[in-house]
Amino acid sequence: MMTETKIEMNREMIIEKSFKHANILRVTGNTGVMIVEATASYIPIEEFKAIFNYIGDSVAKEPVTKLIFDKRKLTVFHQPSMEWYFVEWKEKMFDLGLKVHRKILPTDIVFKQSVKIGRDRIKQIFPNGKYNEMDIQYADSIEEAIEK
């Protein structure tokens, strides 16, 4: 199998797995970091769950300590996907030791506002989630997200 690589900001990344609407990347020389890179404007919920379940399987087998979700290509916000991600998936990942999350949002103000409203709604419905104990920050680039 041929390995595909990408270079961003002088960082070499290996595309570990490709989905129709996203890639999972690894940073060469930094096995503790996994990156989800959206490659389309929308990720259907079934694929979204498959992507993050794949990451969950990796986290269960090896010491992945940081997840970067590069959402810059997304234009469509999907609340049910976000709720599953926060309420179910992040709970499991916390227990497996993945507690550092970095997000790179698109520049679209409407998308950013939708994310904020969605997060606020999750906090109201699920106020005691383990996501409250995670190190979740935003970055403007993969390089910044790796360093942060």
Side-chain angles (χ1 to χ4, degrees):
M1 183 172 97
M2 197 169 132
T3 305
E4 192 175 341
T5 60
K6 294 179 64 155
I7 305 281
E8 182 173 314
M9 302 286 294
N10 296 321
R11 293 263 186 187
E12 183 181 60
M13 293 169 281
I14 297 166
I15 298 175
E16 180 172 313
K17 185 161 178 68
S18 290
F19 290 84
K20 187 171 182 183
H21 300 90
N23 290 322
I24 295 177
L25 309 168
R26 294 286 189 131
V27 179
T28 303
N30 193 341
T31 56
V33 176
M34 290 186 83
I35 301 167
V36 175
E37 173 193 46
T39 58
S41 62
Y42 175 70
I43 303 172
I45 191 165
E46 301 80 21
E47 182 179 341
F48 186 87
K49 287 180 177 183
I51 291 164
F52 285 94
N53 284 330
Y54 177 89
I55 290 168
D57 291 343
S58 295
V59 172
K61 291 185 264 189
E62 57 190 280
V64 176
T65 56
K66 181 185 283 187
L67 176 68
I68 299 168
F69 190 0
D70 183 352
K71 304 177 185 184
R72 288 178 284 189
K73 291 226 170 110
L74 294 178
T75 59
V76 177
F77 174 80
H78 189 244
Q79 182 68 24
S81 294
M82 186 177 189
E83 287 181 15
W84 174 84
Y85 175 69
F86 266 82
V87 176
E88 291 184 39
W89 189 81
K90 279 188 175 181
E91 293 288 302
K92 292 176 190 167
M93 294 308 102
F94 183 89
D95 292 339
L96 292 173
L98 176 57
K99 299 175 184 176
V100 177
H101 297 259
R102 299 293 179 260
K103 320 275 177 139
I104 307 170
L105 294 178
T107 56
D108 178 29
I109 293 169
V110 173
F111 188 94
K112 287 180 178 180
Q113 187 62 28
S114 296
V115 169
K116 183 183 180 317
I117 291 167
R119 257 194 341 260
D120 291 346
R121 181 171 175 223
I122 289 167
K123 285 180 182 177
Q124 287 176 345
I125 297 168
F126 197 65
N128 299 319
K130 291 178 183 171
Y131 63 84
N132 289 310
E133 301 173 51
M134 293 179 164
D135 176 0
I136 302 170
Q137 297 181 42
Y138 292 89
D140 293 323
S141 68
I142 288 177
E143 180 74 18
E144 180 186 353
I146 291 167
E147 298 301 322
K148 243 182 173 182

